[in-house]
Amino acid sequence: MKLAPIALFVYNRPNHTHQTLENLIKAPEFKDSVLYIFCDGAKTEEDVSAVQNTRKLIHSYDLKNTIIIESENNKGLARSIVEGINYVLQKHDKIIVLEDDCVPTPDFLNFMNFCLSYYESDERIMNVSGYASPIEIPEDYPYDIYFSYRSSSWGWSTWKRAWAYYSNNPNILKMIESSSSIKKKLDRAGLDLYPMIKKQTSGKSDSWAVYWSINIILKDGLCIFPVKSRIRNIGNDGSGTHCSADKRYDVQINEQNTEQMSIPKIVIPDGRIVKACYNFYAGSMFKKTLYFCYHRFSKFIDLDSIICLQRLKLI
């Protein structure tokens, strides 16, 4: 099995980067993997010291098969990640992506490479996630992975064939709003995606991940998730550029080195798990109702008010 290259994106959090690198190195496959580390430049004078400390940490490791790419200017999260992925996929057919706050389990690389190899020729599968949302999996579900209509950007992988569909064209919003069938597909993956793309296209957010999720939906693609998470996200401590402190996404990670996995024979999402994912991302009944109203009457409801209520933990 040919191992996929790893792209690690870092900025100004040396402590987070240290935890992620230390755990990544523990993976048996790491020594035979190519690692690309993309370091974004400082956005403000206040960030310079932390950015420099992060880079010093990276250079303190004696890592083989590692390419470090340091940007003099600040690209921002979205541009940095998209350009980095494009750079790697010019040289390789697949990629594993980590950000500085996504701490992998020892078998994360094994899980990723297995799925990338197993589903390489299945064009329905467009994304493999290492993080598993804390949803309730049915007790009689016998497999180690499940299929979802929605992607996750917390430790993930894809192929060049799938990433070719990535587009951050803001006209994607008009396409969604002009088609009821596309809107239904979007809602099926999560009621929060429509407000997210509205926020993105209005310039109030800097996200590449919402575009990726929607691109997959537009192509009727599917995403793979582990039943037991291979990623522990430590960025919800309030230190991240786009994440406030939030324990809602805390998960129990896989503690065992899984050599063999049970895989569904048919590539079809389990309806019970789809519903559980839908409910998780929609949140409370009040939040679902608010999202529903925003979807139907977005011209009359202020998105900033919804965002404010979310940050205050009122929805």
Side-chain angles (χ1 to χ4, degrees):
M1 179 173 61
K2 185 177 180 181
L3 299 176
I6 307 159
L8 172 62
F9 294 87
V10 305
Y11 179 43
N12 65 348
R13 295 188 288 181
N15 292 334
H16 292 71
T17 302
H18 176 72
Q19 292 185 60
T20 297
L21 262 177
E22 284 292 320
N23 282 269
L24 183 62
I25 291 170
K26 293 176 182 177
E29 297 80 8
F30 177 78
K31 61 182 176 59
D32 297 317
S33 301
V34 177
L35 173 65
Y36 294 85
I37 304 179
F38 295 91
C39 311
D40 200 8
K43 185 176 183 179
T44 66
E45 287 295 326
E46 289 77 13
D47 293 330
V48 170
S49 178
V51 168
Q52 290 176 343
N53 288 337
T54 302
R55 296 183 181 191
K56 287 179 182 178
L57 169 72
I58 291 168
H59 285 287
S60 70
Y61 284 87
D62 182 20
L63 300 175
K64 298 179 181 180
N65 302 323
T66 299
I67 299 96
I68 301 173
I69 301 172
E70 299 176 345
S71 175
E72 294 183 5
N73 304 314
N74 180 263
K75 296 181 178 181
L77 180 63
R79 181 183 163 199
S80 178
I81 289 183
V82 171
E83 289 186 0
I85 293 172
N86 289 339
Y87 179 86
V88 175
L89 290 180
Q90 286 177 354
K91 307 172 185 295
H92 306 272
D93 292 327
K94 50 192 173 182
I95 186 173
I96 297 170
V97 183
L98 283 169
E99 294 180 42
D100 59 7
D101 55 5
C102 295
V103 179
T105 61
D107 73 333
F108 168 75
L109 291 182
N110 176 61
F111 176 82
M112 284 291 165
N113 281 291
F114 173 84
C115 291
L116 284 171
S117 177
Y118 192 90
Y119 292 99
E120 186 169 10
S121 301
D122 192 333
E123 297 198 1
R124 294 170 296 178
I125 307 299
M126 297 180 66
N127 188 95
V128 182
S129 173
Y131 173 79
S133 303
I135 63 171
E136 186 173 341
I137 302 295
E139 291 185 3
D140 61 347
Y141 189 75
Y143 307 112
D144 295 313
I145 68 168
Y146 62 87
F147 303 106
S148 173
Y149 298 110
R150 182 190 183 113
S151 64
S152 170
S153 61
W154 292 351
W156 61 284
S157 61
T158 191
W159 302 263
K160 181 186 290 186
R161 61 159 175 83
W163 186 253
Y165 296 114
Y166 179 83
S167 170
N168 58 359
N169 189 334
N171 288 329
I172 199 169
L173 179 61
K174 294 181 180 179
M175 185 188 306
I176 294 169
E177 293 180 332
S178 63
S179 172
S180 59
S181 61
I182 293 177
K183 194 74 177 297
K184 287 180 181 178
K185 290 180 181 179
L186 195 70
D187 290 352
R188 177 180 61 181
L191 290 176
D192 58 326
L193 287 175
Y194 179 62
M196 285 170 64
I197 192 62
K198 289 273 286 187
K199 182 182 176 185
Q200 176 64 30
T201 54
S202 66
K204 297 177 181 179
S205 178
D206 180 32
S207 171
W208 63 272
V210 65
Y211 282 116
W212 181 224
S213 286
I214 292 174
N215 292 154
I216 292 172
I217 292 166
L218 291 177
K219 292 298 179 182
D220 292 318
L222 292 173
C223 305
I224 292 173
F225 280 79
V227 168
K228 293 183 178 179
S229 187
R230 265 67 175 185
I231 289 288
R232 178 170 57 90
N233 188 290
I234 58 174
N236 289 314
D237 57 358
S239 65
T241 303
H242 298 285
C243 294
S244 57
D246 190 352
K247 293 187 177 182
R248 181 167 172 255
Y249 296 94
D250 290 353
V251 292
Q252 292 289 329
I253 60 172
N254 185 62
E255 300 287 356
Q256 299 177 345
N257 193 357
T258 307
E259 295 182 0
Q260 293 183 337
M261 290 189 294
S262 178
I263 305 297
K265 294 181 180 179
I266 302 176
V267 182
I268 298 177
D270 185 293
R272 299 167 298 175
I273 298 178
V274 170
K275 184 177 181 180
C277 290
Y278 175 90
N279 288 333
F280 175 78
Y281 286 107
S284 66
M285 183 57 67
F286 176 63
K287 188 174 180 180
K288 290 178 187 177
T289 304
L290 197 57
Y291 274 145
F292 176 83
C293 293
Y294 181 72
H295 281 222
R296 299 299 182 267
F297 310 107
S298 59
K299 292 182 180 180
F300 309 104
I301 297 178
D302 180 16
L303 180 57
D304 287 334
S305 297
I306 295 178
I307 296 169
C308 181
L309 289 172
Q310 288 177 318
R311 288 176 176 170
L312 292 173
K313 311 297 184 187
L314 297 179
I315 61 173

